[in-house]
Amino acid sequence: MLKRAWIWLRRIKYCRGFGVQSPTDYRFIRYVINEHWPYYKYETLKKDIRHVNSDTRRLCRLYFRIANHCQAEQFIDIASDTTAYEEYVKAGCRKTKTVRINLTDAFDTKKRVIIARIDANSVTSEVLEKLIAVAEEGSVVILQGIYDSKEARQTWQEAIGHERAGVTYDLYYCGLLLCVRRQFKKHYKVNF
């Protein structure tokens, strides 16, 4: 609790889209990332999935909102230790097909709108490159734990610099990379 409060206070000036000029980016921050109203499935999912801690549940709810917003064809969950993320994404968008794979598995290289979640501590540059290569316009790549280690921070910096990363959001607990065509890349820190 103390660590979460400290992080929140350090990022207070990045609350609720303050200073964001793009209407699209502001809307994503305000109504997807920092939406505080309870969604229709939150209580049901909380009863069904009891084995997760509060930080994981918070990320699960974020992934639910992202799935609801993007209406992606596929959710790729790489090297996850829980099925909670998958359950929340399925509840957010029923048409999204979920695929759980290991880091060593090959995944479908057919381009599609995807949501992909991977731990920034375990991803390699090659896996990240493959993942972004299968992502079409409108896809979201989620790097979880971007401040957990030096390697994770380096991976996050590589993701921010990727040519297909149009907009990136640093939420401290995870980083979101949106594959959108933009004349200028945008990077936002968000108090999540």
Side-chain angles (χ1 to χ4, degrees):
M1 281 299 268
L2 286 175
K3 182 181 178 185
R4 184 187 291 174
W6 174 248
I7 293 166
W8 191 85
L9 285 171
R10 282 184 47 212
R11 292 172 160 245
I12 193 86
K13 63 182 176 182
Y14 305 113
C15 278
R16 316 227 345 131
F18 294 147
V20 176
Q21 300 301 313
S22 165
T24 307
D25 298 345
Y26 174 80
R27 206 172 308 117
F28 188 78
I29 290 170
R30 184 71 178 84
Y31 300 112
V32 178
I33 295 173
N34 278 330
E35 177 63 70
H36 296 296
W37 288 99
Y39 273 78
Y40 54 93
K41 283 282 198 173
Y42 280 0
E43 284 305 312
T44 307
L45 288 164
K46 187 175 183 176
K47 288 176 189 170
D48 292 346
I49 304 168
R50 296 186 187 142
H51 65 278
V52 297
N53 62 32
S54 62
D55 287 339
T56 303
R57 187 165 314 278
R58 196 164 175 227
L59 287 172
C60 285
R61 287 180 173 182
L62 171 66
Y63 302 164
F64 174 96
R65 293 189 303 269
I66 291 171
N68 192 300
H69 174 77
C70 293
Q71 297 291 309
E73 294 175 36
Q74 191 174 46
F75 172 63
I76 301 172
D77 195 6
I78 302 174
S80 179
D81 57 347
T82 181
T83 60
Y85 304 122
E86 180 181 337
E87 296 299 321
Y88 271 82
V89 168
K90 275 197 263 185
C93 179
R94 281 182 257 161
K95 76 173 188 171
T96 301
K97 301 206 179 359
T98 58
V99 178
R100 293 185 78 208
I101 60 175
N102 296 319
L103 282 171
T104 56
D105 294 344
F107 45 88
D108 187 8
T109 56
K110 179 182 166 190
K111 286 208 172 258
R112 59 184 64 185
V113 176
I114 62 166
I115 300 169
R117 190 215 67 87
I118 190 163
D119 189 345
N121 291 297
S122 57
V123 70
T124 62
S125 296
E126 296 81 35
V127 171
L128 186 62
E129 186 62 41
K130 279 189 214 175
L131 197 55
I132 294 173
V134 300
E136 238 180 43
E137 178 89 7
S139 296
V140 179
V141 177
I142 304 164
L143 287 162
Q144 200 166 305
I146 58 174
Y147 287 103
D148 288 353
S149 68
K150 182 180 177 183
E151 292 79 20
R153 286 189 294 274
Q154 185 176 355
T155 301
W156 175 235
Q157 291 305 314
E158 285 177 27
I160 290 171
H162 196 281
E163 64 187 27
R164 299 212 42 227
V167 183
T168 53
Y169 299 92
D170 175 346
L171 310 181
Y172 186 83
Y173 302 99
C174 69
L176 305 178
L177 182 149
L178 274 62
C179 297
V180 291
R181 287 191 183 93
R182 288 273 177 96
Q183 187 173 2
F184 301 104
K185 290 175 175 263
K186 293 299 287 181
H187 175 71
Y188 300 105
K189 267 189 178 178
V190 180
N191 195 359
F192 168 65

